[in-house]
Amino acid sequence: MKTKLKKTKAQKQGSDSPLDAMKIRTVSGRGIPLPGNDIDTDRIIPARFMKCITFDDLGQYAFYDARFGENGVKKEHPFNHPKYKEGTVLIVNRNFGCGSSREHAPQSLRRHGIRAIIGESFAEIFYDNCTAIGLPIMTSTRENVEGLMSLVKESPTTEVKIDLVKREASCGDFSIAIEQPDQTRKALTEGTWDSTAELLSSLEQIKAVAGKLPYMNGYQAGAKQ
Amino acid sequence: MSRSLFEKVWEMHKIRKLPTGKDQIFIGLHLIHEVTSPQAFSMIRESGLKIPFPQNTFATVDHIVPTALQERPFQDGLAEKMMVAIENNTKEFGIRFFGFDTAKQGIVHVIGPELGLTLPGLTIACGDSHTSTHGAFGALAFGIGTTQIKDLLATQTLSLSKPKSRRINVHGNLGKGVYAKDVILAIIHKLGVNGGIGYCYEYNGDVLTQMSMEERMTICNMTIEGGARMGYVNPDQTTFDYLRGREYSPQGDEFKRAVEFWKSISSDKDATYNDVVNLDGAKMEPMVTWGINPGQAIGISENFPEVQSFKEEDRQTAEEAYKFMSFKPGKSVKGTSIDVAFIGSCTNGRLSDLREAAKIVKGRKAAKNVKALVVPGSQQVASAAEREGLDQVFTEAGFEWRKAGCSMCLAMNPDRLTGREICASSSNRNFKGRQGSPTGRTILMSPAMVAAAAIKGKVADVREFLD
Ligand code: SF4
C-alpha cells in the first residue's frame, strides 16, 4: 500500500520543539544487577498490588514478594541492598518481563527510580510497554551482561553510562555494545515514543482502510483476499 | 504469491509504515477488562482525546470479581472501586459492557468467542497477554499494555513491529487421556519459554485440524507462555460451524459472504514461514509442570529431571525451581500430594473442559484433605453446565461450584492459596506467587488431570480413570 508520510505538528517544528524534552539519547546512573533468567511480571509486581486505578503508588511494590517475607521482613534482594540504593540502571539476564502484559511492571520499576534496563533478552510485550512509556531497554550478549553485572557488584558507585545513539554502554573502562531494534532506537532518540499523536495524524486514512475491511462493511462483494 | 494467513491479515490491516519504521495496524476488535484499562481511560480524559470506533470495543469484568458472594458493593473496597471505574468509563465513552446483569459476563477470552465477537480475519487486541486465545479462529490476536490501550482507544490502531512466522505442525493422533493442554505444554517444553520471542505462530497438522474450537483456544491461549505474542489456527468448517448463529456473528446472507471471506484468508498451500517445527502427537502423554514456569514440564510417567540434564543456561532456573517447589530430582512426579484443585481460567474454563473433568469426577469423591474448586469461565458456560447437571456432579463429589471469573488463576479476588499449599491447576501460569500466596506452589495440568488429582489427593495419571 502506498501512503504519504505526514509529519505531526511537533515534528515540523524546529529543534526547540516540545519533542526535545522527549528525546532520550543518553542515560547514566549507578547500576543494579539482578541475576536470573525468566523473571516474570508477576514477580516484578504481584497481582494483588494491581488493585488500583492509577499507577502512582506502584514504586514501593516492585519485586515485593522477592524483597519481603511474611510480616514485611526484608529478604536478600538487590533492591533491598544498601549498596544499590541509588541504582537506576537495571541489569538483567534472559527473557526478563515474561508472562502477563501488565504495564504495572514497567510502571512500578520506573516509579522505583529505574531509568534504563540492560539485559540478554526481554519478553516482547514488556519491551513494548517500556518503550511506550519512554523507559529505554536494550540487549547485549550474555558475556557482556555478566561482565557488566560483576563490575557493578565490585564497584557499585561507578556510573553506568548508556549512549543509545552510539549503541554502547560503559562502566569505568569497561564498554559494551548494546542493541535495540532500529525502530525503537529511533522512537526514543527522536522523542516519538509517545505514539498517540503520530497514529492520530492519519485518522482519515484509518477510516478509509476500516471502510474497506470486509467485517466493517457487511462482507460485501470484492472483499475477498 | 502464496501467503500465510498471518501475511494476508497483517497487510489487510496496515494503514501505513510509521516514521519509526513500525507498522500502523488497524484493530478490528478491542476487548477491555477492569485491571489494565482504568489508567488508559484517565489518559484519554486528561488529553481530551476522543474514541473514534467505540462500536469495535467491548468490555467485561473478570479478574477481580468474587466468585462466591457477588452482592454489591463487593466486600473488598478496592475491587468495588475498580468495578465502579469500568462501569463509569464504558458508560461515559459509549462502550458495550457485559456486567453481571447481562448474563454474558465472564473471562474476556471466554466471552469474546462465545458471543461471536471473535471472528476469522480480525485483528484483536486486549490489555491481557492471553488475548492470543482468539487466534484459534484465524485472527491475529495479541496482548498489549495500558499505554497501548490508550493508543487503541484514541485511534483504533497500534504501532507494531511485524513478527516473523513459525509454523508448528502436530502430526498423528493423540492418545487416550491426552488433551489440548498437554499438547501446548509439550510444545512450550520443546521450544522453551522464550523460544517464541519475535514470532507469530501458525498451529497446524492433523492434531490441530481435528480439534474442536475450544481445544484450539486452549492451544492458542498458552502461545504467550512460549514467548510468542500471537498464534493462530486456519479457519475451517469447524470454525464456521462454531460461529453460525452466535449473537454477534454475521447472520443469514451476510454469514454466507463471511464464510467466503474467511476461506480466502486461510494460509495458501505453499505459503512459506521463517521456521517450521514438527511434533509427533502420538508420542505425547499427559503433562504436568514441576517448576516455576510453564516450560518446566514433564510427562506424568516421568521423574523430576536432574538439574544436570538441562542445558547449562537453564540450570540456574531449574535449581531455583527445585528450591521453591521443594521437590527432589529423580523422584516420580506421580504421587506428589496436593492441597488444592482448581478447574477454571481462560485456558480451561469452557464447557468441554468442565465436561471432561466431570467424566472423571462422576460417582467419586474428592480426597478429604483437598479443597477443590470449579470456576466456570463465563456466566454462559455456568448456565450451560448447570443445564447438563455438571454442577451437581461436582458438588456431589465435594467440589465447590462457583460463579464466573479468573479466580485462583491469579488470585486478585478472595480465592487464593495460603502458605506453602500445592495446587493442581488447569490455569496457565505456575510463576512464584501466582495463585495468591507468595510461597504457594502450582502444578499445571489438564482439567481432567486436575479432577484425577483431586480424587486421589495427589498427582495422578488420568488414563487410569478412563476405560
Ligand atoms: S483466567 Fe487467568 S490468565 Fe486468563 S485472563 Fe484471567 S487472570 Fe488472565
PDB file of all heavy atoms in Angstrom, chain B residues 62-63 107-109 128 130 221 345-347 405-406 409-410 427-429 434, ligand 1:
ATOM      1  N   ASP B  62     -13.628  -9.477  35.011  1.00  0.00           N
ATOM      2  CA  ASP B  62     -13.287 -10.878  35.268  1.00  0.00           C
ATOM      3  C   ASP B  62     -12.230 -11.077  36.360  1.00  0.00           C
ATOM      4  O   ASP B  62     -12.379 -11.904  37.239  1.00  0.00           O
ATOM      5  CB  ASP B  62     -12.822 -11.556  33.955  1.00  0.00           C
ATOM      6  CG  ASP B  62     -11.784 -10.750  33.185  1.00  0.00           C
ATOM      7  OD1 ASP B  62     -11.251  -9.780  33.737  1.00  0.00           O
ATOM      8  OD2 ASP B  62     -11.502 -11.085  32.010  1.00  0.00           O
ATOM      9  N   HIS B  63     -11.170 -10.262  36.335  1.00  0.00           N
ATOM     10  CA  HIS B  63     -10.038 -10.534  37.226  1.00  0.00           C
ATOM     11  C   HIS B  63     -10.368 -10.382  38.712  1.00  0.00           C
ATOM     12  O   HIS B  63      -9.952 -11.192  39.520  1.00  0.00           O
ATOM     13  CB  HIS B  63      -8.865  -9.605  36.884  1.00  0.00           C
ATOM     14  CG  HIS B  63      -8.158  -9.980  35.624  1.00  0.00           C
ATOM     15  ND1 HIS B  63      -8.750  -9.916  34.397  1.00  0.00           N
ATOM     16  CD2 HIS B  63      -6.899 -10.439  35.408  1.00  0.00           C
ATOM     17  CE1 HIS B  63      -7.882 -10.311  33.475  1.00  0.00           C
ATOM     18  NE2 HIS B  63      -6.755 -10.635  34.064  1.00  0.00           N
ATOM     19  N   ILE B 107     -14.751 -14.370  31.759  1.00  0.00           N
ATOM     20  CA  ILE B 107     -13.368 -14.065  31.400  1.00  0.00           C
ATOM     21  C   ILE B 107     -13.363 -13.558  29.958  1.00  0.00           C
ATOM     22  O   ILE B 107     -13.986 -14.159  29.074  1.00  0.00           O
ATOM     23  CB  ILE B 107     -12.465 -15.307  31.526  1.00  0.00           C
ATOM     24  CG1 ILE B 107     -12.572 -15.901  32.933  1.00  0.00           C
ATOM     25  CG2 ILE B 107     -11.011 -14.945  31.213  1.00  0.00           C
ATOM     26  CD1 ILE B 107     -11.841 -17.224  33.103  1.00  0.00           C
ATOM     27  N   VAL B 108     -12.674 -12.467  29.745  1.00  0.00           N
ATOM     28  CA  VAL B 108     -12.728 -11.768  28.463  1.00  0.00           C
ATOM     29  C   VAL B 108     -12.418 -12.715  27.286  1.00  0.00           C
ATOM     30  O   VAL B 108     -13.033 -12.621  26.226  1.00  0.00           O
ATOM     31  CB  VAL B 108     -11.802 -10.520  28.518  1.00  0.00           C
ATOM     32  CG1 VAL B 108     -10.350 -10.903  28.745  1.00  0.00           C
ATOM     33  CG2 VAL B 108     -11.953  -9.654  27.310  1.00  0.00           C
ATOM     34  N   HIS B 109     -11.523 -13.672  27.492  1.00  0.00           N
ATOM     35  CA  HIS B 109     -11.156 -14.587  26.398  1.00  0.00           C
ATOM     36  C   HIS B 109     -12.140 -15.755  26.255  1.00  0.00           C
ATOM     37  O   HIS B 109     -12.018 -16.559  25.344  1.00  0.00           O
ATOM     38  CB  HIS B 109      -9.737 -15.108  26.591  1.00  0.00           C
ATOM     39  CG  HIS B 109      -8.775 -14.016  26.900  1.00  0.00           C
ATOM     40  ND1 HIS B 109      -8.677 -12.890  26.116  1.00  0.00           N
ATOM     41  CD2 HIS B 109      -7.900 -13.838  27.923  1.00  0.00           C
ATOM     42  CE1 HIS B 109      -7.772 -12.074  26.647  1.00  0.00           C
ATOM     43  NE2 HIS B 109      -7.302 -12.618  27.744  1.00  0.00           N
ATOM     44  N   ASP B 128      -4.190  -7.733  27.875  1.00  0.00           N
ATOM     45  CA  ASP B 128      -4.071  -9.012  28.554  1.00  0.00           C
ATOM     46  C   ASP B 128      -3.300  -9.966  27.650  1.00  0.00           C
ATOM     47  O   ASP B 128      -3.657 -10.148  26.488  1.00  0.00           O
ATOM     48  CB  ASP B 128      -5.476  -9.577  28.823  1.00  0.00           C
ATOM     49  CG  ASP B 128      -5.423 -10.697  29.828  1.00  0.00           C
ATOM     50  OD1 ASP B 128      -5.010 -11.813  29.457  1.00  0.00           O
ATOM     51  OD2 ASP B 128      -5.771 -10.460  30.995  1.00  0.00           O
ATOM     52  N   HIS B 130      -3.117 -13.102  27.386  1.00  0.00           N
ATOM     53  CA  HIS B 130      -3.769 -14.299  26.854  1.00  0.00           C
ATOM     54  C   HIS B 130      -4.772 -14.016  25.741  1.00  0.00           C
ATOM     55  O   HIS B 130      -5.548 -14.884  25.346  1.00  0.00           O
ATOM     56  CB  HIS B 130      -4.402 -15.108  27.983  1.00  0.00           C
ATOM     57  CG  HIS B 130      -3.350 -15.696  28.863  1.00  0.00           C
ATOM     58  ND1 HIS B 130      -3.022 -15.156  30.076  1.00  0.00           N
ATOM     59  CD2 HIS B 130      -2.494 -16.724  28.666  1.00  0.00           C
ATOM     60  CE1 HIS B 130      -2.024 -15.843  30.599  1.00  0.00           C
ATOM     61  NE2 HIS B 130      -1.681 -16.793  29.767  1.00  0.00           N
ATOM     62  N   ASN B 221      -4.262 -20.049  23.545  1.00  0.00           N
ATOM     63  CA  ASN B 221      -4.209 -19.333  24.822  1.00  0.00           C
ATOM     64  C   ASN B 221      -2.798 -19.289  25.384  1.00  0.00           C
ATOM     65  O   ASN B 221      -2.325 -18.253  25.847  1.00  0.00           O
ATOM     66  CB  ASN B 221      -5.157 -20.025  25.807  1.00  0.00           C
ATOM     67  CG  ASN B 221      -5.078 -19.472  27.206  1.00  0.00           C
ATOM     68  OD1 ASN B 221      -4.261 -19.912  28.003  1.00  0.00           O
ATOM     69  ND2 ASN B 221      -5.911 -18.492  27.520  1.00  0.00           N
ATOM     70  N   SER B 345     -10.267 -20.888  34.486  1.00  0.00           N
ATOM     71  CA  SER B 345      -9.381 -19.972  33.760  1.00  0.00           C
ATOM     72  C   SER B 345      -9.694 -19.901  32.266  1.00  0.00           C
ATOM     73  O   SER B 345     -10.441 -20.713  31.732  1.00  0.00           O
ATOM     74  CB  SER B 345      -7.899 -20.334  33.933  1.00  0.00           C
ATOM     75  OG  SER B 345      -7.501 -21.284  32.979  1.00  0.00           O
ATOM     76  N   CYS B 346      -9.055 -18.924  31.608  1.00  0.00           N
ATOM     77  CA  CYS B 346      -9.267 -18.746  30.171  1.00  0.00           C
ATOM     78  C   CYS B 346      -8.617 -19.854  29.365  1.00  0.00           C
ATOM     79  O   CYS B 346      -8.863 -19.991  28.177  1.00  0.00           O
ATOM     80  CB  CYS B 346      -8.753 -17.383  29.717  1.00  0.00           C
ATOM     81  SG  CYS B 346      -7.008 -17.114  30.054  1.00  0.00           S
ATOM     82  N   THR B 347      -7.766 -20.651  30.000  1.00  0.00           N
ATOM     83  CA  THR B 347      -7.156 -21.788  29.305  1.00  0.00           C
ATOM     84  C   THR B 347      -8.121 -22.970  29.273  1.00  0.00           C
ATOM     85  O   THR B 347      -8.310 -23.602  28.240  1.00  0.00           O
ATOM     86  CB  THR B 347      -5.865 -22.241  30.029  1.00  0.00           C
ATOM     87  OG1 THR B 347      -5.078 -21.099  30.305  1.00  0.00           O
ATOM     88  CG2 THR B 347      -5.078 -23.227  29.192  1.00  0.00           C
ATOM     89  N   GLY B 405     -15.354 -16.175  36.642  1.00  0.00           N
ATOM     90  CA  GLY B 405     -14.284 -15.183  36.803  1.00  0.00           C
ATOM     91  C   GLY B 405     -12.925 -15.831  36.673  1.00  0.00           C
ATOM     92  O   GLY B 405     -12.815 -17.034  36.424  1.00  0.00           O
ATOM     93  N   CYS B 406     -11.868 -15.026  36.853  1.00  0.00           N
ATOM     94  CA  CYS B 406     -10.496 -15.545  36.749  1.00  0.00           C
ATOM     95  C   CYS B 406     -10.104 -16.314  38.000  1.00  0.00           C
ATOM     96  O   CYS B 406      -9.311 -17.250  37.950  1.00  0.00           O
ATOM     97  CB  CYS B 406      -9.516 -14.394  36.562  1.00  0.00           C
ATOM     98  SG  CYS B 406      -9.734 -13.511  35.016  1.00  0.00           S
ATOM     99  N   CYS B 409      -6.736 -18.333  39.220  1.00  0.00           N
ATOM    100  CA  CYS B 409      -5.687 -18.287  38.210  1.00  0.00           C
ATOM    101  C   CYS B 409      -4.657 -17.235  38.579  1.00  0.00           C
ATOM    102  O   CYS B 409      -3.474 -17.425  38.376  1.00  0.00           O
ATOM    103  CB  CYS B 409      -6.268 -17.987  36.833  1.00  0.00           C
ATOM    104  SG  CYS B 409      -5.020 -17.728  35.584  1.00  0.00           S
ATOM    105  N   LEU B 410      -5.127 -16.103  39.112  1.00  0.00           N
ATOM    106  CA  LEU B 410      -4.160 -15.085  39.550  1.00  0.00           C
ATOM    107  C   LEU B 410      -4.513 -14.474  40.882  1.00  0.00           C
ATOM    108  O   LEU B 410      -3.783 -13.611  41.379  1.00  0.00           O
ATOM    109  CB  LEU B 410      -3.941 -13.993  38.487  1.00  0.00           C
ATOM    110  CG  LEU B 410      -4.731 -12.685  38.590  1.00  0.00           C
ATOM    111  CD1 LEU B 410      -4.119 -11.622  37.728  1.00  0.00           C
ATOM    112  CD2 LEU B 410      -6.172 -12.920  38.284  1.00  0.00           C
ATOM    113  N   SER B 427      -4.993 -23.810  35.088  1.00  0.00           N
ATOM    114  CA  SER B 427      -4.685 -22.482  34.554  1.00  0.00           C
ATOM    115  C   SER B 427      -3.405 -22.512  33.719  1.00  0.00           C
ATOM    116  O   SER B 427      -2.999 -23.575  33.254  1.00  0.00           O
ATOM    117  CB  SER B 427      -4.602 -21.481  35.700  1.00  0.00           C
ATOM    118  OG  SER B 427      -3.681 -21.923  36.674  1.00  0.00           O
ATOM    119  N   ASN B 428      -2.771 -21.373  33.535  1.00  0.00           N
ATOM    120  CA  ASN B 428      -1.683 -21.292  32.562  1.00  0.00           C
ATOM    121  C   ASN B 428      -0.336 -20.854  33.108  1.00  0.00           C
ATOM    122  O   ASN B 428       0.648 -20.840  32.390  1.00  0.00           O
ATOM    123  CB  ASN B 428      -2.100 -20.329  31.444  1.00  0.00           C
ATOM    124  CG  ASN B 428      -2.763 -19.092  32.024  1.00  0.00           C
ATOM    125  OD1 ASN B 428      -2.231 -18.479  32.947  1.00  0.00           O
ATOM    126  ND2 ASN B 428      -3.930 -18.734  31.515  1.00  0.00           N
ATOM    127  N   ARG B 429      -0.290 -20.432  34.369  1.00  0.00           N
ATOM    128  CA  ARG B 429       0.986 -19.928  34.888  1.00  0.00           C
ATOM    129  C   ARG B 429       1.294 -20.515  36.252  1.00  0.00           C
ATOM    130  O   ARG B 429       0.460 -20.463  37.157  1.00  0.00           O
ATOM    131  CB  ARG B 429       0.973 -18.404  34.978  1.00  0.00           C
ATOM    132  CG  ARG B 429       1.107 -17.801  33.612  1.00  0.00           C
ATOM    133  CD  ARG B 429       1.235 -16.300  33.611  1.00  0.00           C
ATOM    134  NE  ARG B 429       1.461 -15.887  32.242  1.00  0.00           N
ATOM    135  CZ  ARG B 429       0.967 -14.799  31.680  1.00  0.00           C
ATOM    136  NH1 ARG B 429       0.236 -13.969  32.386  1.00  0.00           N
ATOM    137  NH2 ARG B 429       1.221 -14.528  30.423  1.00  0.00           N
ATOM    138  N   ARG B 434       1.937 -16.848  41.951  1.00  0.00           N
ATOM    139  CA  ARG B 434       0.861 -16.543  41.012  1.00  0.00           C
ATOM    140  C   ARG B 434      -0.524 -16.755  41.615  1.00  0.00           C
ATOM    141  O   ARG B 434      -1.466 -16.027  41.328  1.00  0.00           O
ATOM    142  CB  ARG B 434       1.021 -17.434  39.762  1.00  0.00           C
ATOM    143  CG  ARG B 434      -0.126 -17.378  38.770  1.00  0.00           C
ATOM    144  CD  ARG B 434      -0.120 -16.106  37.965  1.00  0.00           C
ATOM    145  NE  ARG B 434      -1.216 -16.094  37.003  1.00  0.00           N
ATOM    146  CZ  ARG B 434      -1.419 -15.128  36.128  1.00  0.00           C
ATOM    147  NH1 ARG B 434      -0.619 -14.082  36.086  1.00  0.00           N
ATOM    148  NH2 ARG B 434      -2.435 -15.193  35.290  1.00  0.00           N
TER     149      ARG B 434
HETATM  150  S1  SF4 C   1      -8.098 -16.531  33.655  1.00  0.00           S
HETATM  151 FE1  SF4 C   1      -6.042 -16.072  34.349  1.00  0.00          FE
HETATM  152  S2  SF4 C   1      -4.791 -15.885  32.541  1.00  0.00           S
HETATM  153 FE2  SF4 C   1      -6.924 -15.807  31.904  1.00  0.00          FE
HETATM  154  S3  SF4 C   1      -7.415 -13.638  31.777  1.00  0.00           S
HETATM  155 FE3  SF4 C   1      -7.969 -14.336  33.824  1.00  0.00          FE
HETATM  156  S4  SF4 C   1      -6.163 -13.985  35.074  1.00  0.00           S
HETATM  157 FE4  SF4 C   1      -5.508 -13.833  32.947  1.00  0.00          FE
END
